[in-house]
């Protein structure tokens, strides 16, 4: 994203301190999202080309709950895959400005392997339901007021 100013002035790349801060935030957000009991699939995506914000964050999240989530393949025909920094990273997707004419991005899909005991099997296997629109408000009836009589004294 060209309008973002993540880079240090004049260097063209973010500082290690900035990368650590971004990756730390992303790790906390991803780890928190993986605690949602009804979560079945989660897409983790960044507009970053840095391993610290991409594969490293995904690897750490998977290590925190090794039996609960796995990486699902993302667009298998996409030619550019995740960096081979851990087993399964090949399921991730990468795009770089040089090869895809994009600003660059990363995508990983984490899917639940087992259903947590706090979520019933029926809930976990139920199809996803899209929220219905807010109920329509009932119109209030106005009290009928008698029209003034045209005859005086009536």
């Amino acid at each position: 994203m060209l309008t973002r100013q993540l880079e240090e002035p004049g260097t063209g790349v973010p500082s290690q301190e900035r990368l650590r801060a971004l990756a730390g935030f992303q790790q906390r957000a991803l780890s928190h999202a993986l605690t949602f009991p009804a979560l079945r699939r989660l897409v983790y995506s960044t507009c970053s080309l840095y391993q610290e914000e991409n594969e490293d964050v995904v690897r750490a999240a998977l290590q925190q709950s090794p039996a609960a989530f796995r990486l699902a393949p993302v667009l298998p025909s996409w030619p550019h895959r995740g960096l081979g920094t851990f087993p399964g990273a090949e399921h991730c997707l990468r795009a770089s400005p040089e090869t895809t004419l994009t600003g660059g991005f990363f995508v990983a899909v984490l899917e639940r392997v087992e259903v947590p005991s706090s979520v019933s099997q029926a809930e976990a296997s139920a199809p996803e339901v899209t929220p219905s629109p807010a109920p329509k408000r009932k119109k209030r009836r106005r009290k009928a007021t008698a029209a003034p009589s045209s005859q005086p004294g009536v």
Side-chain angles (χ1 to χ4, degrees):
M1 295 174 32
L2 299 176
T3 60
R4 291 176 58 187
Q5 298 296 317
L6 296 180
E7 293 81 24
E8 298 287 319
T11 65
V13 296
S15 69
Q16 284 300 310
E17 181 181 337
R18 177 79 171 141
L19 275 176
R20 276 192 301 274
L22 288 168
F25 169 75
Q26 291 159 337
Q27 177 59 50
R28 288 186 303 277
L30 179 57
S31 293
H32 176 67
L34 294 178
T35 66
F36 297 168
L39 178 73
R40 293 189 307 205
R41 295 185 111 196
L42 180 136
V43 175
Y44 174 76
S45 181
T46 69
C47 292
S48 171
L49 300 174
Y50 298 101
Q51 175 184 329
E52 294 89 341
E53 293 181 271
N54 298 325
E55 288 88 359
D56 291 355
V57 168
V58 170
R59 183 186 71 236
L62 288 170
Q63 287 175 343
Q64 285 183 341
S65 50
F69 290 92
R70 67 176 178 200
L71 283 171
V74 177
L75 296 173
S77 62
W78 188 267
H80 308 286
R81 310 314 302 176
L83 301 177
T85 59
F86 65 96
E90 68 277 2
H91 293 301
C92 301
L93 178 147
R94 278 183 157 269
S96 66
E98 300 81 27
T99 58
T100 60
L101 301 177
T102 65
F105 57 89
F106 173 86
V107 179
V109 175
L110 291 88
E111 65 182 4
R112 188 174 297 280
V113 174
E114 60 186 39
V115 177
S117 59
S118 62
V119 176
S120 72
Q121 191 65 28
E123 266 183 336
S125 62
E128 290 184 24
V129 178
T130 50
S132 60
K136 292 184 179 180
R137 298 174 81 188
K138 291 183 180 179
K139 291 184 179 179
R140 291 185 182 171
R141 291 181 134 186
R142 290 187 178 175
K143 291 183 179 180
T145 55
S149 175
S150 58
Q151 296 177 345
V154 177

